[in-house]
Amino acid sequence: MENPVIILGAQAVGTAALDAFQSNDVVVYCLLDDKAELQNTELNDVPVMGNTDDKELLKLLGKKCEVFVATEDTASRRSLTNMLREEYTVAPVNAIHQRASVSPHAWLGHGNLIGANAVVAGTAKLGDGCILGANTVVDVKAEVGDYAQLGAGAILNAEVQVGELAFIGAGAVVVAGVKIGAKARVGAGSVVVADVPAGQTVFGNPAQKV
């Protein structure tokens, strides 16, 4: 990546994204965050500057800087991404840790965060704005919808389908072929052996509706 990156968000997701970019020696120009107490501080020697809608800095996007959206709230990530596309005609880049393994035969959308030691296998598919924590596995032919989140160590076996805005907790295992509906939530450490309807929360081994 030739251009430096501006990260929108300087909290947990922003820290993980910064680590991913720096692991690849990508220059991060600055981070932006709406929390006043974070502004005018530094994160890994990178300055945290103004709000996420700072027009003076955002006008650098496109020709001089790339952008990554790393706000904590999923709705905020989606709205900021839409704003960037509409007002600045840019799409967020992917933040892929140097120690992650992403097959050249996987399909990735825009603005995904893939943590250290994560694996995205051949023919797997990620939409836009997904977050894959450290040590996650997305096996062959698995599909992850837009803005879905996988906690550290979560495993999606072959042909699993995860709907948009779904959340898979840390260490959860979803067995082959299972479908997780949009906005569904899977508790940490759960083993999911049956389909989970949209909007439902499940937990346990085997996972049951909460």
Side-chain angles (χ1 to χ4, degrees):
M1 191 180 301
E2 295 181 3
N3 289 336
V5 178
I6 294 175
I7 298 176
L8 307 187
Q11 299 174 54
V13 179
T15 301
L18 178 61
D19 184 52
F21 286 122
Q22 291 184 327
S23 76
N24 290 289
D25 296 322
V26 172
V27 174
V28 176
Y29 181 75
C30 69
L31 300 98
L32 302 178
D33 200 281
D34 295 335
K35 271 195 170 184
E37 60 266 33
L38 295 177
Q39 296 169 10
N40 301 311
T41 64
E42 288 189 347
L43 187 59
N44 295 0
D45 298 323
V46 178
V48 182
M49 301 175 80
N51 293 323
T52 54
D53 60 354
D54 188 312
K55 304 296 185 193
E56 286 301 306
L57 288 168
L58 294 182
K59 72 182 183 183
L60 298 173
L61 301 180
K63 294 181 179 179
K64 296 183 179 179
C65 285
E66 306 292 346
V67 66
F68 184 84
V69 180
T71 51
E72 302 300 298
D73 179 63
T74 304
S76 171
R77 288 207 309 278
R78 185 158 62 171
S79 64
L80 279 169
T81 300
N82 290 337
M83 178 273 288
L84 292 167
R85 286 180 167 144
E86 292 166 7
E87 295 185 25
Y88 298 93
T89 325
V90 295
V93 294
N94 289 316
I96 302 173
H97 198 282
Q98 190 269 337
R99 293 204 314 273
S101 174
V102 179
S103 169
H105 304 291
W107 188 94
L108 272 61
H110 298 285
N112 295 299
L113 172 59
I114 301 177
N117 302 315
V119 175
V120 181
T123 67
K125 182 176 180 180
L126 302 184
D128 294 334
C130 300
I131 296 178
L132 276 61
N135 301 300
T136 54
V137 175
V138 181
D139 209 345
V140 295
K141 295 186 178 180
E143 296 187 7
V144 182
D146 295 346
Y147 301 99
Q149 183 169 343
L150 278 62
I155 297 174
L156 305 184
N157 284 297
E159 299 184 338
V160 166
Q161 294 183 25
V162 176
E164 65 178 19
L165 300 168
F167 176 84
I168 312 294
V173 176
V174 184
V175 303
V178 165
K179 295 178 175 62
I180 308 293
K183 298 184 179 180
R185 299 180 65 83
V186 175
S190 298
V191 177
V192 186
V193 299
D195 292 354
V196 179
Q200 191 171 101
T201 298
V202 299
F203 180 75
N205 180 10
Q208 303 287 334
K209 180 181 177 181
V210 176

